[in-house]
Amino acid sequence: MERMVGKTKLSVIQGDITLQETEAIVNAANTSLLGGGGVDGAIHRAGGAKILEECKEISARQGGCPTGEAVITSGGNLKAGYVIHTVGPVWSGGSRKEEELLRNAYYNSLRIAKENEVASVSFPSISTGAYRFPIDCAARIAITTVKEFIQEHSFTEIRFVLFSAGDLKVYEDALTQS
Ligand code: AR6
């Protein structure tokens, strides 16, 4: 499914984010930036050691990445030239500013993309795996935050890449309702 938002194509597809040819892909990392499971593990496996080396340098310099913030590395062996590593919140019932922190993760990823003149970005469903954020709410936040940002700053494409058919449907519904 795709929609034009101003000059930007906003698309929602099912697939593997490590295979996307957008200029950047976003990683759902943790505050250590030192890798993990899920999409983080898949990106480091596919992208090779260079990405982890750059993450370690950033970590040594600034002590990791706080929740809601984002950093950028090269894409190593990936088709994408860059990986934007952001840290979504761990869901703990909704009273620990989880919604605001998830919004920040999307916003700061797009901000850092723009700062690096990246024209196209693929996002996974941040926080809805190991971090257990309810996906209906997460999808609504993801879509609305991206739409608001791209109304102000255009890209050629922003793509949401969902791993399962069920997750794809949730994001398609969120886009339809937005
Ligand atoms: N392509 C697209 N989506 C994927 C892929 C892939 N190759 N692999 C998994 N997903 P998660 P989180 C989906 O757990 O909830 C890590 O250990 C997955 O099905 O990767 O933000 C980090 O180091 C789910 O829908 O990220 C952190 O410690 C979505 O990606 C922690 O997990 C996000 O699931 C972050 O947890």
Side-chain angles (χ1 to χ4, degrees), residues 14-20 26-45 86-90 102 123-133 135 161-164 167 171:
Q14 186 178 356
D16 179 343
I17 201 161
T18 65
L19 303 178
Q20 305 306 309
V26 174
N27 181 17
N30 58 59
T31 56
S32 78
L33 294 177
L34 300 182
V39 73
D40 195 4
I43 288 171
H44 281 287
R45 273 195 303 280
T86 190
V87 184
V90 178
L102 187 63
F123 279 98
S125 180
I126 299 165
S127 281
T128 65
Y131 284 178
R132 303 182 312 275
F133 202 117
I135 192 164
V161 182
L162 290 317
F163 217 30
S164 71
D167 288 358
Y171 275 72

Side-chain angles (χ1 to χ4, degrees), residues 27 46-47 49 52 57 62 68 78 92 109 123 136 144 153-154 165 175:
N27 181 17
L52 188 58
E57 279 167 25
Q62 65 175 54
L78 298 168
S92 44
S109 297
F123 279 98
D136 289 44
T144 55
H153 314 272
S154 63
L175 181 55

